[in-house]
Amino acid sequence: MAVTLERAPWLGWTLVKALMRFAFMVANNLVAISSYVFYVIVLQPLRVLDSKSFWYIEGIMYKWLLGMVASWGWYAGYTVMEWGDDIKAVMEDEAVMLVNHQATGDVCTLMMCLQDKGLVVAQMMWLMDHIFKYTNFGIVSLIHGDFFIRQGKSHRDQQLLLLRKHLENNYRNRDRKWIVLFPEGGFLRKRRETSQAFAKKKNLPFLTHVTLPRIGATQIILNVLVARQQNGSPAGGDVKELDSRSKGLQWIIDTTIAYPKAEPIDIQTWILGYRKPTVTHVHYRIFPIKDVPLETDELSDWLYQRFIEKEELLSHFYETGAFPPAQGHREAVSREMTLSNMWIFLIQSFAFLSGYMWYNIFQYFYHCLF
């Protein structure tokens, strides 16, 4: 009983804080998302006259919206430590991020750690489960041109055809440069048993911290976006020759997210902030597209190898609390990712002022009409 009494003030404050954060999140969504939609509607003439400028402005607003989501976790003490290759070196080139998927918080983590990578977030396309279409952020993703993919064997072929068409119609027309893809096709806890059974059947390694990836979406992306040289081989740069400006997709960024004690953060925790401050660790490894095979069997083997390496990375992290050093290095170096409090204040102020402006505009027209 004494322990309960000692914890009562902390539990009470946690509940009050969670309710306050939830109320702010609702208000934040109401003003920010509605303002985004109204701005996009008003800017439609610009879309006709100068499509590139329209999508640039839309991308900036999209980045601000994702920055607001990132700020919810930031002020709850959920921060990010980055390891491996510095992806700022390729942030102006076209790239695909292949990310392991443990929980809904993975998306929020990426929203945070990519905010300081130039225009990456503004020019990014997400591939996500179709269920996200029906969330509060669904309308924003639809306008921005993200792709919602329906899982399941019965939908697979049709979804891949739709993805190809979506990329051809929206990727370069909207000046997109990065794609975020979760090749496992679902959360770790939901797919692990099925993946392990498949691995046993195909004599593949037994994985615990990740699942074997699905090849379909990755292959479609590469087929549509990789520029071909005259000899048929993919064009692309070398990580040591960053002045390369060959057209098409140039990099694959193998991204591994690790949570302390293998306890992932979900979207509810990110919003309500009831979990103690946590540092999420993100490891990057950059591959030039010319080193990635495009044929089905070779690409499957290549993807499997990446996720076997992820398994090794995560095993090392859970044992030691750090990722292993890169080949040829004695120790791994981490980089703390930070958000600017002033920048967050400015984008939040813009959102609420915009909401107030649109409210007054609609109120004025309402009184004029009625």
Side-chain angles (χ1 to χ4, degrees):
M1 188 68 178
V3 174
T4 303
L5 290 175
E6 289 176 0
R7 287 175 57 84
W10 178 82
L11 291 173
W13 167 241
T14 300
L15 177 60
V16 171
K17 184 174 67 172
L19 291 173
M20 292 172 61
R21 286 176 59 88
F22 181 75
F24 176 79
M25 183 274 296
V26 171
N28 201 182
N29 272 307
L30 285 174
V31 297
I33 294 177
S34 58
S35 294
Y36 166 87
V37 172
F38 294 143
Y39 279 126
V40 167
I41 293 173
V42 169
L43 288 170
Q44 286 304 303
L46 178 63
R47 182 178 181 179
V48 176
L49 297 171
D50 187 352
S51 177
K52 186 173 183 179
S53 295
F54 170 83
W55 288 115
Y56 174 81
I57 295 170
E58 182 278 332
I60 295 298
M61 293 192 294
Y62 181 84
K63 177 181 178 178
W64 291 350
L65 286 174
L66 268 60
M68 293 173 199
V69 176
S71 71
W72 302 343
W74 177 257
Y75 287 116
Y78 307 145
T79 57
V80 174
M81 192 72 71
E82 297 180 307
W83 302 74
D85 295 333
D86 185 0
I87 61 174
K88 287 183 178 180
V90 299
M91 66 185 185
E92 295 183 2
D93 300 328
E94 292 187 26
V96 173
M97 298 187 78
L98 303 179
V99 192
N100 62 312
H101 209 8
Q102 301 180 60
T104 49
D106 298 342
V107 175
C108 302
T109 296
L110 293 175
M111 288 180 179
M112 176 183 286
C113 64
L114 295 176
Q115 284 294 326
D116 66 343
K117 310 299 189 295
L119 292 176
V120 162
V121 175
Q123 297 176 307
M124 175 177 285
M125 179 183 289
W126 296 75
L127 268 63
M128 60 187 79
D129 192 278
H130 79 287
I131 195 67
F132 284 98
K133 184 190 296 186
Y134 307 105
T135 66
N136 58 316
F137 213 75
I139 183 65
V140 174
S141 290
L142 281 170
I143 293 172
H144 184 71
D146 297 327
F147 184 77
F148 300 95
I149 191 164
R150 187 181 293 271
Q151 304 294 340
K153 290 183 179 179
S154 59
H155 304 288
R156 191 168 299 164
D157 292 340
Q158 180 192 29
Q159 291 298 299
L160 293 178
L161 289 174
L162 290 174
L163 174 58
R164 175 182 289 276
K165 184 177 180 180
H166 183 84
L167 291 171
E168 291 171 347
N169 293 339
N170 297 294
Y171 182 78
R172 294 210 166 87
N173 287 346
R174 301 188 182 193
D175 196 27
R176 301 296 173 240
K177 286 192 173 182
W178 280 37
I179 294 180
V180 178
L181 173 64
F182 299 96
E184 291 163 296
F187 297 138
L188 173 63
R189 68 180 187 276
K190 293 183 177 181
R191 289 211 62 245
R192 179 159 40 200
E193 186 175 339
T194 303
S195 174
Q196 290 172 345
F198 179 80
K200 184 177 181 180
K201 181 179 178 181
K202 297 294 184 179
N203 197 28
L204 294 168
F206 186 87
L207 306 179
T208 303
H209 305 305
V210 296
T211 64
L212 290 170
R214 294 169 175 170
I215 186 176
T218 305
Q219 189 172 37
I220 292 293
I221 291 169
L222 295 181
N223 287 341
V224 173
L225 301 183
V226 172
R228 302 296 184 102
Q229 295 175 346
Q230 291 183 353
N231 62 5
S233 62
D238 189 290
V239 83
K240 295 181 180 179
E241 298 176 359
L242 299 178
D243 57 340
S244 170
R245 289 296 178 266
S246 52
K247 295 180 180 180
L249 191 66
Q250 296 184 60
W251 312 101
I252 298 291
I253 303 174
D254 185 26
T255 305
T256 305
I257 300 177
Y259 298 94
K261 300 179 181 178
E263 297 175 353
I265 296 175
D266 55 29
I267 186 64
Q268 300 95 315
T269 305
W270 194 271
I271 292 171
L272 300 177
Y274 50 77
R275 180 168 165 176
K276 293 181 179 180
T278 301
V279 180
T280 302
H281 299 257
V282 182
H283 183 278
Y284 306 111
R285 188 179 177 194
I286 301 173
F287 292 89
I289 199 67
K290 65 182 182 180
D291 293 343
V292 181
L294 300 181
E295 299 302 321
T296 301
D297 291 340
E298 289 80 2
L299 179 59
S300 294
D301 293 339
W302 188 88
L303 276 176
Y304 288 160
Q305 187 58 39
R306 299 291 74 76
F307 276 77
I308 292 169
E309 290 172 0
K310 285 180 184 291
E311 176 79 10
E312 295 170 353
L313 285 171
L314 290 168
S315 295
H316 188 280
F317 177 85
Y318 295 139
E319 291 174 4
T320 66
F323 284 112
Q327 189 173 3
H329 294 76
R330 292 185 176 180
E331 60 181 26
V333 178
S334 61
R335 306 174 296 278
E336 184 178 5
M337 188 272 160
T338 60
L339 291 178
S340 166
N341 292 320
M342 177 56 70
W343 179 75
I344 293 173
F345 172 78
L346 290 175
I347 62 172
Q348 291 285 13
S349 298
F350 179 77
F352 281 95
L353 288 173
S354 293
Y356 180 73
M357 179 192 73
W358 288 115
Y359 171 79
N360 281 280
I361 289 174
F362 283 107
Q363 187 180 50
Y364 171 78
F365 282 109
Y366 177 81
H367 287 306
C368 288
L369 294 172
F370 304 101

